[in-house]
């Protein structure tokens, strides 16, 4: 039974990874600008010259450089210096040194200006083939593995019993899922290596 569960899990994971890759057609190739706007998927992006947007340049000690873009209308998750509030809201507008968010904490239809220098960290997500999918599937597989061992008859020919090996395998799968989650969804601290700034389209 366990072997069948792992086989089904592997097929689902591989199938998900294959579907995520678009078939390449040279006649339908998009320009680099078109690819960027397609990837971002925000209907508020007009692509008109002069539109300001946030840039988060991340240069970790280990790993490659990454650039994250946030446009008006995008949801942003961040924390500020000297505040314990975890902000998770939409960007209303962006200026040269700040951005304005919908102030949901007050329960009123108002907004709040956030200075870039006051932002302590920003939570970002990045899709990593296989890794991002594994962050969801591995914990499920771990629970299914332990559950299957508990429900099915074991070497003692009894149901509703399990042993340490099942918890070790199931726990390892769940731990692997947690690691994959941390790789796909990170909290980036704003410092000398990770800089938050404003740019505009041209």
């Amino acid at each position: 039974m366990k072997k069948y569960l792992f086989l089904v899990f592997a097929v689902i994971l591989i199938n998900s990874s294959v579907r995520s890759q678009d078939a390449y057609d040279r006649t339908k190739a998009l320009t680099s600008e078109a690819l960027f706007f397609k990837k971002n998927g925000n209907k508020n992006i007009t692509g008109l010259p002069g539109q300001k947007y946030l840039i988060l340049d991340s240069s970790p000690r280990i790993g490659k450089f990454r650039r994250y873009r946030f446009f008006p209308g995008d949801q942003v998750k961040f924390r500020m210096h000297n505040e314990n509030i975890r902000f998770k809201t939409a960007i209303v507008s962006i200026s040269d040194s700040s951005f304005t968010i919908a102030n949901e904490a007050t329960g009123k239809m108002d907004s709040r200006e956030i200075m870039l220098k006051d932002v302590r960290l920003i939570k970002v997500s990045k899709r990593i083939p296989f890794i991002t999918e594994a962050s969801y599937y591995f914990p499920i597989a771990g629970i299914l593995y332990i559950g299957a061992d508990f429900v099915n008859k074991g070497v003692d020919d009894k149901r509703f019993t399990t042993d340490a090996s099942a918890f070790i395998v199931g726990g390892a799968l769940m731990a692997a899922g947690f690691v994959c989650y941390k790789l796909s969804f990170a909290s980036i601290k704003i410092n000398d290596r990770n800089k938050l700034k404003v740019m505009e389209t041209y």
Side-chain angles (χ1 to χ4, degrees):
M1 182 65 179
K2 297 177 188 177
K3 292 181 179 179
Y4 289 118
L5 282 173
F6 272 113
L7 182 60
V8 171
F9 169 69
V11 170
I12 292 174
L13 193 57
I14 292 172
N15 189 35
S16 174
S17 179
V18 170
R19 285 201 312 268
S20 66
Q21 300 178 8
D22 295 328
Y24 176 74
D25 185 349
R26 183 176 296 179
T27 62
K28 298 180 181 179
L30 300 176
T31 64
S32 58
E33 183 175 330
L35 284 170
F36 166 69
F37 290 119
K38 179 182 178 182
K39 180 180 179 181
N40 191 280
N42 186 348
K43 295 181 180 179
N44 295 298
I45 298 173
T46 63
L48 296 177
Q51 182 179 8
K52 290 183 172 59
Y53 60 99
L54 291 178
I55 286 288
L56 174 58
D57 286 338
S58 175
S59 302
R61 296 184 185 276
I62 300 176
K64 63 180 182 179
F65 169 85
R66 288 185 179 274
R67 168 167 284 184
Y68 303 91
R69 299 172 175 86
F70 303 91
F71 284 80
D74 283 341
Q75 187 178 81
V76 62
K77 302 177 184 178
F78 66 96
R79 301 189 72 167
M80 299 176 61
H81 295 289
N82 303 321
E83 286 197 31
N84 295 323
I85 302 174
R86 297 180 181 180
F87 292 91
K88 180 182 178 182
T89 184
I91 298 174
V92 177
S93 62
I94 300 172
S95 67
D96 292 334
S97 59
S98 67
F99 61 96
T100 303
I101 61 170
N103 194 6
E104 300 174 356
T106 62
K108 301 178 181 179
M109 294 298 291
D110 59 355
S111 58
R112 176 177 177 180
E113 184 180 18
I114 306 296
M115 304 302 295
L116 299 186
K117 61 182 179 61
D118 294 333
V119 179
R120 180 165 60 89
L121 64 83
I122 292 182
K123 298 197 72 172
V124 298
S125 61
K126 51 183 179 292
R127 189 188 176 284
I128 307 173
F130 180 78
I131 299 296
T132 302
E133 287 83 359
S135 67
Y136 300 104
Y137 290 129
F138 276 4
I140 295 173
I143 294 172
L144 289 175
Y145 186 91
I146 296 173
D149 184 78
F150 181 75
V151 172
N152 293 289
K153 293 182 179 180
V155 293
D156 56 358
D157 201 34
K158 294 181 180 179
R159 294 181 183 272
F160 309 113
T161 61
T162 186
D163 54 24
S165 63
F167 283 105
I168 292 173
V169 174
L173 285 170
M174 288 187 279
F178 177 78
V179 172
C180 292
Y181 179 86
K182 284 296 185 181
L183 292 173
S184 300
F185 304 92
S187 296
I188 300 178
K189 293 183 178 180
I190 309 302
N191 51 34
D192 293 337
R193 297 192 314 275
N194 308 317
K195 297 182 179 180
L196 183 64
K197 53 190 177 182
V198 173
M199 295 186 71
E200 62 181 50
T201 56
Y202 57 90

